[in-house]
Amino acid sequence: MSTNRRTMAATPETVWEVLADGWLYPLWVVGASRMRKVDAGWPSVGARLHHSVGSWPLLLDDTTEVLKCEEWELLQLKARSWPFGVAHVTIRIEAREGGCDVVMEEQAVSGPGAVVPQPMQDPLLAWRNVEALRRLAYLVERRP
C-alpha cells in the first residue's frame, strides 16, 4: 500500500471542508479532469462523485464512492478509474499543533492496476499522491 503524509497549516475542519465539497475534487485529485455530478449527501457512506479522467477528447466517465466517513478525521473511498481498475483510498486527518497532518493511503484492488506487483505499484501511486496532497494543501491553506 502506498502511503503519503503532508503537514498542512490548516485545521482538520478546514481540510474537511475541502474534502466534503465534491465539486473541488478535480482541483486536487491528479487525473480527475472534470466533475459531472456529486450525489446529495456527499461525503456520507454510499454517496458518489461522478467524474471524468483523462484529457479531451479522450475522457472516461467513472465514479468514486464513500466506503467510510468520520467527519474531520477519515474518508475512505472506492475510486474507479477504468481502464486502470479500482483502488481503495483512505485519507486520514490528524490534528497537531499549528495545523494537521493529512495521510493518504492507496492500493489498487481490482482490474489491471491490481496485477502490477506491489513494489512497482507503490512508487507510481506515491508520486501521484505527493502531487495530490500538494494541491490539497494549496486549497486548504489559502481558505479564508
Side-chain angles (χ1 to χ4, degrees), residues 22-40:
W23 292 102
L24 296 178
Y25 272 65
L27 297 178
W28 68 271
V29 175
V30 175
S33 56
R34 68 177 176 196
M35 192 60 56
R36 300 182 333 273
K37 178 183 171 189
V38 176
D39 284 359

Side-chain angles (χ1 to χ4, degrees), residues 22-133:
W23 292 102
L24 296 178
Y25 272 65
L27 297 178
W28 68 271
V29 175
V30 175
S33 56
R34 68 177 176 196
M35 192 60 56
R36 300 182 333 273
K37 178 183 171 189
V38 176
D39 284 359
W42 176 268
S44 61
V45 173
R48 291 183 179 184
L49 297 176
H50 303 263
H51 53 78
S52 301
V53 296
S55 296
W56 186 89
L58 302 174
L59 289 169
L60 298 172
D61 293 343
D62 236 319
T63 61
T64 293
E65 179 180 353
V66 177
L67 299 175
K68 187 174 182 180
C69 176
E70 297 173 11
E71 192 172 27
W72 302 315
E73 293 179 13
L74 179 117
L75 188 59
Q76 190 173 60
L77 306 169
K78 181 178 184 179
R80 292 174 184 85
S81 183
W82 286 102
F84 305 109
V86 176
H88 283 175
V89 179
T90 300
I91 302 168
R92 287 184 285 118
I93 306 167
E94 302 169 353
R96 62 177 308 171
E97 189 163 334
C100 64
D101 286 342
V102 178
V103 180
M104 183 182 287
E105 300 170 338
E106 182 172 358
Q107 183 169 7
V109 295
S110 67
V115 299
V116 175
Q118 204 70 41
M120 293 174 62
Q121 188 183 125
D122 285 351
L124 295 173
L125 292 173
W127 171 79
R128 176 180 173 269
N129 291 334
V130 163
E131 178 60 22
L133 289 174

